[in-house]
């Protein structure tokens, strides 16, 4: 039996763009969530931001963070509501006896998964984890502190944004909602894995304006903003490929959310720094990175397999 496309490809594109616009645009609707900068120009040493002026609003200001947490949470709810509206029309089809709430929950991946998909990302980060072990910064090691590394970091306002609210809302919107409408349009797996995450990457481009202003509105600041934006677009798009694969393969949004949180906590791997700190373990660090990468390639298709995944089947 030939599958039925409940949405046209054009409709899926429009909805995906609407999801991204709603999410990013939500932080500019409220005055409290918007950033404001003076016209100050400054030539600064590379890597240093200029001092914040009194009447400016920067992204790490507590009031800005609070307003943005509310904004993106509201936008995420609205995106899910739009998917529900689509599912309401699908459930009215004579060949489908499921209700709109049931279809919405299943298609958005609010379903449980096995533990194995959640362990794939730590395998990839075997090298960085070994580096942290050598530097004794893993939980309960010498240079780890529950107060600083958990309470002050994870549960501060910035920590709530970086490690909790942003990963959860971004995965629900840019993975669950976006991939659901493309799945309803019968888009190919290749297109969903490698093209839909570009929307996620593009959603981070607006950070360039923030960087340009904080680093002095100079040619050097512009260069930093462009380079940083290109790097962030590339990194987030590649990460999006991975999370899209996880979502489609498992049929659950939870493995991508856990992967997103884990990657945000770990940060970008820095083998050079780890080697500089422990040159006596240089070979071991390199081997750990290589084992992590090869192990990731091996376990990804095996540990992500979920029988009956709605989106993969």
């Amino acid at each position: 039996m030939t599958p039925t496309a409940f949405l046209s490809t054009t409709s899926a594109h429009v909805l995906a763009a609407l999801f991204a616009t709603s999410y990013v645009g939500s932080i500019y609707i409220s005055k409290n969530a918007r950033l404001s900068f003076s016209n100050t120009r400054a030539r600064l040493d590379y890597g240093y931001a200029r001092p914040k002026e009194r009447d400016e609003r920067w992204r790490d200001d507590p009031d800005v963070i609070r307003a943005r947490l509310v904004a993106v949470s509201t936008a995420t709810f609205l995106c899910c509501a739009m998917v529900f509206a689509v599912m309401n029309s699908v459930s009215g089809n004579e060949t489908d006896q499921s209700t709109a709430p049931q279809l919405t929950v299943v298609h958005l991946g609010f379903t449980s998964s096995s533990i194995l998909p959640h362990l794939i990302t730590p395998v990839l980060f075997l090298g960085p984890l070994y580096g942290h072990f050598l530097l004794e910064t893993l939980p309960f090691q010498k240079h780890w502190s529950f107060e600083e590394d958990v309470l002050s970091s994870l549960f501060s306002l910035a920590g709530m944004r970086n490690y909790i609210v942003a990963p959860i809302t971004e995965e629900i919107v840019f993975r669950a909602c976006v991939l659901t409408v493309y799945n309803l349009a019968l888009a190919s797996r290749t297109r969903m894995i490698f093209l839909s995450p570009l929307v996620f990457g593009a959603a981070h481009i607006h950070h360039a304006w923030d960087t340009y202003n904080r680093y002095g509105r100079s040619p050097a600041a512009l260069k930093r903003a462009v380079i940083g934006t290109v790097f962030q677009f590339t990194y987030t798009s590649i990460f999006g490929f991975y999370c899209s694969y996880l979502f489609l393969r498992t049929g659950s949004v939870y493995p991508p959310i856990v992967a997103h949180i884990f990657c945000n906590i770990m940060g970008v791997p820095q083998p050079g720094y780890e080697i500089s700190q422990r040159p006596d373990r240089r070979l071991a660090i390199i081997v750990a990175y290589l084992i992590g990468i090869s192990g990731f390639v091996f376990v990804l298709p095996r540990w992500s397999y979920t029988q009956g995944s709605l989106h993969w089947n």
Side-chain angles (χ1 to χ4, degrees):
M1 181 177 178
T2 304
T4 302
F6 292 101
L7 289 176
S8 66
T9 301
T10 300
S11 297
H13 289 327
V14 170
L15 284 169
L18 185 59
F19 295 150
T21 302
S22 300
Y23 189 91
V24 177
S26 68
I27 65 176
Y28 293 99
I29 293 176
S30 168
K31 179 181 179 180
N32 293 330
R34 288 196 299 268
L35 305 182
S36 63
F37 302 99
S38 70
N39 293 324
T40 300
R41 296 179 180 273
R43 293 185 177 276
L44 305 165
D45 292 335
Y46 190 80
Y48 290 90
R50 63 175 176 80
K52 178 177 176 290
E53 297 180 13
R54 179 179 298 178
D55 295 331
E56 292 184 309
R57 296 177 61 80
W58 288 14
R59 69 185 300 267
D60 287 332
D61 291 355
D63 289 346
V64 172
I65 295 177
R66 291 190 191 94
R68 289 191 166 192
L69 293 183
V70 172
V72 298
S73 297
T74 303
T76 301
F77 175 80
L78 292 176
C79 289
C80 291
M82 284 188 272
V83 172
F84 173 79
V86 172
M87 291 303 166
N88 196 43
S89 64
V90 171
S91 65
N93 189 289
E94 293 181 359
T95 63
D96 198 313
Q97 301 302 315
S98 300
T99 64
Q102 291 174 326
L103 287 171
T104 304
V105 168
V106 173
H107 278 77
L108 290 181
F110 294 127
T111 55
S112 61
S113 68
S114 70
I115 190 64
L116 287 179
H118 300 281
L119 301 179
I120 297 173
T121 310
V123 170
L124 176 62
F125 276 78
L126 180 61
L129 287 170
Y130 179 64
H132 280 284
F133 171 77
L134 292 177
L135 299 177
E136 299 183 283
T137 55
L138 288 179
F140 308 109
Q141 285 191 297
K142 181 179 179 181
H143 300 300
W144 179 84
S145 166
F146 180 80
E147 182 177 347
E148 293 181 5
D149 296 309
V150 178
L151 296 181
S152 298
S153 178
L154 295 182
F155 295 103
S156 63
L157 272 174
M160 292 286 289
R161 175 193 63 193
N162 297 335
Y163 308 125
I164 300 177
V165 176
I168 292 174
T169 57
E170 287 178 359
E171 290 307 315
I172 291 175
V173 172
F174 293 99
R175 232 65 64 195
C177 292
V178 169
L179 290 176
T180 289
V181 295
Y182 279 120
N183 187 54
L184 291 175
L186 297 185
S188 67
R189 292 177 187 168
T190 300
R191 180 172 295 181
M192 288 193 285
I193 292 172
F194 294 108
L195 293 184
S196 66
L198 299 180
V199 177
F200 177 59
H204 291 78
I205 292 178
H206 68 104
H207 291 306
W209 178 243
D210 173 43
T211 302
Y212 174 66
N213 282 278
R214 287 190 297 109
Y215 286 86
R217 299 172 65 93
S218 65
L222 178 61
K223 179 180 178 181
R224 182 185 183 90
V226 171
I227 293 175
T229 300
V230 171
F231 174 80
Q232 190 173 36
F233 175 81
T234 303
Y235 179 81
T236 53
S237 295
I238 293 174
F239 178 75
F241 302 157
Y242 168 52
C243 282
S244 294
Y245 179 87
L246 273 184
F247 177 79
L248 295 174
R249 187 84 166 156
T250 63
S252 173
V253 74
Y254 300 125
I257 288 175
V258 172
H260 199 148
I261 292 172
F262 185 87
C263 287
N264 279 12
I265 291 174
M266 293 296 296
V268 179
Q270 298 180 330
Y273 171 76
E274 292 155 3
I275 291 173
S276 70
Q277 296 298 303
R278 290 299 303 269
D280 58 315
R281 296 297 182 90
R282 181 177 185 275
L283 180 59
I285 292 172
I286 293 174
V287 170
Y289 270 84
L290 293 177
I291 292 176
I293 294 171
S294 58
F296 171 77
V297 173
F298 178 79
V299 304
L300 178 59
R302 293 165 176 82
W303 289 4
S304 63
Y305 172 73
T306 303
Q307 187 175 7
S309 170
L310 172 69
H311 297 290
W312 197 260
N313 292 331

